[in-house]
Every structure is written in structure tokens, then in C-alpha cells.
Amino acid sequence: SYDDGAQWRRFQQNLPVTPIFDLIVRGSDLIAGTHGRSIWILDDLTPVREIANGLSDGEPHLFTPRDTTRVLPGIEFSGPPVTGSTNYVGSRGGGFNAETTPDGEVVRQFLDVGENPPRGSIVTYRLIAEPDEPITLTFRKADGTDIRSFTSRTEDDPATAKELRAPARIGWNRFVWDMRHAPVTKIEGTDPVAEKPFEGPFVAPGEYTVTLKIGEDERSQPFRIVPPANTSATAKDLEAQEDLLLRIHGELDRMARTINRMRDLRGQLDGVAKHARDHDSGEAIAAEAEALRERVLEIEKTLQAPDLRKGWGDSINQGAGLWEKLAGLPAAVQLGDYRPTDAAEAVFADLKTRIDPQVKAFESLVAKDVPALNAKIADAKLGAVVPLP
């Protein structure tokens, strides 16, 4: 009711038809008590309250997101949800089925436990017409620094989008931002390290804005991300945590892009070697291309051994490369709401001093050895090797 009970509108949602003996509003949640059966919670009354204040007819509307509590994942041993079978929540129990929507969102249907509200900042918006081009949701810090953007589906998307998309249906839409920066560049390939992008770090609690862009129309709303009530960490502590996570993130991204360049270059050199052997006097070029390919492979193995099979066997036999060692550090840094330890800073500094020479060695190879080989390839009229930028 928007008029103190003079008129009522049905709002059953997934609430079973059952007597309600008590209603309590706590913060921005509505709790319905059935006394002996269960309780039912309507999460986030913020949009309902804005509707009560009146919305402009014939215009899209972006609601003000409520404050979001940043709850870090802690220790979680379960992997990504698998569609088509029953999943379980780590060691805590709780089975659920998972489905992926066309927008790339994984929706969980819990079988034997209650369902909590989404973990992230909930953005609700209303569209009054089908947009002529993809809409954009952009999240920024209060100072205007871009953090991450999401668009709605494009013509190039498959039936199920490969990356998370913002819904763009006529009427009500909801998007949940997981409070993370963009993931690390995906490593290309078919081995386990290439299966899924490495997630970006969590942002620190603070002031943020979300902007909805529909064509030339832009609408922004401020919102806050807050730490849990029981944390004793200061704002500077959590900003330092984000800073270290972003430095790790940047180094992982550099490694991923370098590995992709190595894999692409190895493929080209392999192709040159095979092509050269089909031509007269091409044996020398083929041998040089293969030798250069092996040098690239040896550098790549220090970062991440390629072409491993799934499971733990190959991984243990190869040992942990620099990628695996650095990729394990964020979990320790964001285990809780606290300033990064001196040990975490020291580990990052140590790994970076070992990663830098390998990246520089590859850059030197690309700058010197590839042009030298290309000169011989050009003389033999066999094309050229073009490293990725």
C-alpha cells in the first residue's frame, strides 16, 4: 500500500499462501513471520520506497542502491557451480542446482537450505522501451575513477553470454555487482590454467557511484560499500589491502598477457618450421625456428608449464610455477578485513623480482631474435613471424 492502507496491491512473489501474524521492517528488509512455519524476508525495500515517492512517467529510472556490506569469501574449497547436477556449498552442506541465464548470470536454486540475498551491490533499474543499442552499467569510485563496466547483450553474443551482461528487458531489471575489479586477462589454451579467468580483487569499503547509460541518456546514483560491523580495521587498513591486491592483480595480468604472447609465438614458429621444410634450402630456417620455439617454451615454463592435463598429477610433477605461486597470494591477503601483513608484502616483492627477468628475457627475444629470423624468412619468401603486441 502506498496510501496508508486505503488501497492494496498483491505482492506474493515466492511467499507461500499462509497466514502472516507479524511484519517487521529491519533496515531495508521486510520480515514476515508465520509463527511456527518459517520466516520470509523481502530483501531491499529501497526501490519500493522510491516508488512510493513517485517516479516520472515515460522515463527510465535508476534506483539508489542501498548500502552493501562487503563480506569477504574467507576459505572456500568448493569450485565454480556445475550446471546440470547437484552442487554443494563446501564443507558446510547445502545442496543447490545451478543454471546460467542468457545474460551469463549463474542462478542457484537451493534444495535444503535457506537462500540468502545476493552477495554484492544490488542495482535496480526500469526501462520503458527496448533499447536501440546495448545499455551500459559503469561502477566508479567517488572521485570518478572507473572500476568496471558491463553492457547488455550484443548481436555477437551466443545463446548464453560468455561474460556477465546487464539485463535490458522492458520493465524492471536487477543487476548484482560482486564488488570486484575486472578479472585478469584470460590465458588462452585448453589446459586447466586457461579454463577460467582469474577473478579481480575486491574494492575497499567507501563511496561509489553507478551510472546507467541508455543511448545518450545517462543516470547516476551514489551508494556505499561498508565493512562488517564487527571489524576493527580502519579505512586506511582496507585501502592498503586493496592496494596490494591491485598490485598483485596487475602483475598477474602482465604474466597472462606475456604467456598468451608466448603461446601465439610458439604456434607461429612451429608453422614456419613446417612450412620451411616444404621448400628447397629451408632446413636451416626450420631448425632455427624450432630452436627459437624451444627457447620461448623454456621461459614460459618458469611462469606456467603449458599443456598440463586436468587433475593434480601433472601439476605436482611439474611443480609450482611463478604464476601459480603469485595466484595463490590474493586468497591470503583477502582472507579477512585487515591490513596486509609484512609477510604478504615480502612474498609479493620476492615473486616480482623473479618474474621480471623472465618477462624481460622474452621481450629481448622478441626484440632481437625474431627480427633476425624474419630477415631469413623474408629472403626465402616464406612470410614473417608477427608477435602479438
Side-chain angles (χ1 to χ4, degrees):
S1 176
Y2 295 122
D3 52 12
D4 291 332
Q7 299 180 30
W8 292 88
R9 301 185 185 186
R10 186 177 182 87
F11 197 75
Q12 193 73 22
Q13 298 298 300
N14 63 346
L15 172 66
V17 177
T18 183
I20 302 298
F21 293 98
D22 202 2
L23 294 172
I24 297 176
V25 175
R26 183 178 178 85
S28 59
D29 293 339
L30 173 66
I31 305 172
T34 61
H35 287 223
R37 294 171 178 83
S38 185
I39 62 171
W40 179 86
I41 302 175
L42 172 61
D43 300 309
D44 194 11
L45 290 170
T46 307
V48 180
R49 288 168 172 167
E50 283 196 34
I51 293 172
N53 293 329
L55 304 181
S56 299
D57 292 333
E59 293 185 12
H61 186 82
L62 174 63
F63 292 89
T64 304
R66 67 173 176 178
D67 290 355
T68 304
T69 301
R70 192 191 76 162
V71 180
L72 297 176
I75 299 175
E76 179 57 71
F77 296 106
S78 58
V82 178
T83 58
S85 63
T86 301
N87 298 262
Y88 295 92
V89 185
S91 60
R92 297 188 298 274
F96 65 91
N97 295 328
E99 292 183 0
T100 303
T101 69
D103 290 319
E105 179 186 10
V106 178
V107 178
R108 303 184 181 196
Q109 180 183 9
F110 289 87
L111 306 176
D112 51 4
V113 294
E115 181 179 357
N116 289 322
R119 180 176 289 185
S121 297
I122 302 173
V123 179
T124 305
Y125 49 98
R126 182 188 70 177
L127 302 181
I128 59 170
E130 190 80 25
D132 295 329
E133 56 188 84
I135 67 171
T136 303
L137 278 176
T138 302
F139 296 88
R140 299 184 175 94
K141 291 187 176 182
D143 62 5
T145 304
D146 284 2
I147 300 174
R148 197 170 179 187
S149 291
F150 301 87
T151 63
S152 57
R153 291 179 61 82
T154 66
E155 294 180 354
D156 297 330
D157 278 328
T160 300
K162 293 184 178 180
E163 57 186 23
L164 185 60
R165 297 294 190 180
R169 296 178 292 272
I170 298 176
W172 303 106
N173 293 271
R174 189 183 77 170
F175 181 85
V176 180
W177 176 42
D178 60 5
M179 301 179 288
R180 288 181 179 270
H181 291 269
V184 170
T185 298
K186 186 178 182 298
I187 294 177
E188 301 298 331
T190 58
D191 45 356
V193 74
E195 286 186 344
K196 182 184 178 183
F198 193 88
E199 290 184 314
F202 286 96
V203 299
E207 306 286 335
Y208 296 88
T209 63
V210 57
T211 300
L212 171 65
K213 183 176 181 182
I214 311 168
E216 298 300 320
D217 183 272
E218 287 192 9
R219 297 164 187 266
S220 298
Q221 293 289 1
F223 67 99
R224 295 194 309 158
I225 294 176
V226 299
N230 62 349
T231 182
S232 60
T234 66
K236 288 186 177 180
D237 289 338
L238 301 184
E239 288 169 3
Q241 183 187 58
E242 182 187 17
D243 176 69
L244 176 56
L245 287 170
L246 284 174
R247 282 183 280 138
I248 297 171
H249 180 269
E251 195 66 22
L252 285 170
D253 196 74
R254 181 174 74 135
M255 290 175 69
R257 287 184 284 107
T258 301
I259 290 171
N260 285 340
R261 294 177 67 200
M262 290 178 177
R263 294 186 172 189
D264 179 79
L265 182 56
R266 285 196 294 114
Q268 291 191 59
L269 291 170
D270 201 38
V272 167
K274 292 177 181 178
H275 188 43
R277 284 200 168 89
D278 294 334
H279 290 72
D280 294 336
S281 304
E283 188 64 34
I285 293 177
E288 188 169 340
E290 289 173 342
L292 190 56
R293 180 196 63 196
E294 290 305 307
R295 289 174 56 195
V296 174
L297 179 59
E298 288 306 309
I299 299 174
E300 183 179 345
K301 284 180 178 179
T302 66
L303 302 181
Q304 172 66 40
D307 305 323
L308 298 182
R309 293 169 296 182
K310 294 182 179 180
W312 54 267
D314 275 14
S315 178
I316 288 180
N317 290 335
Q318 288 291 336
L322 292 170
W323 167 273
E324 186 177 353
K325 291 178 180 179
L326 185 59
L329 186 56
V333 175
Q334 63 188 21
L335 188 60
D337 296 292
Y338 50 76
R339 187 178 187 85
T341 63
D342 293 343
E345 288 280 4
V347 169
F348 174 66
D350 174 66
L351 290 173
K352 192 174 187 312
T353 60
R354 289 193 268 167
I355 293 168
D356 285 344
Q358 304 304 325
V359 175
K360 289 178 181 177
F362 175 69
E363 295 291 352
S364 176
L365 183 147
V366 170
K368 298 177 182 178
D369 296 272
V370 171
L373 177 63
N374 270 336
K376 297 177 181 179
I377 294 174
D379 290 341
K381 297 181 181 180
L382 294 174
V385 173
V386 184
L388 292 175

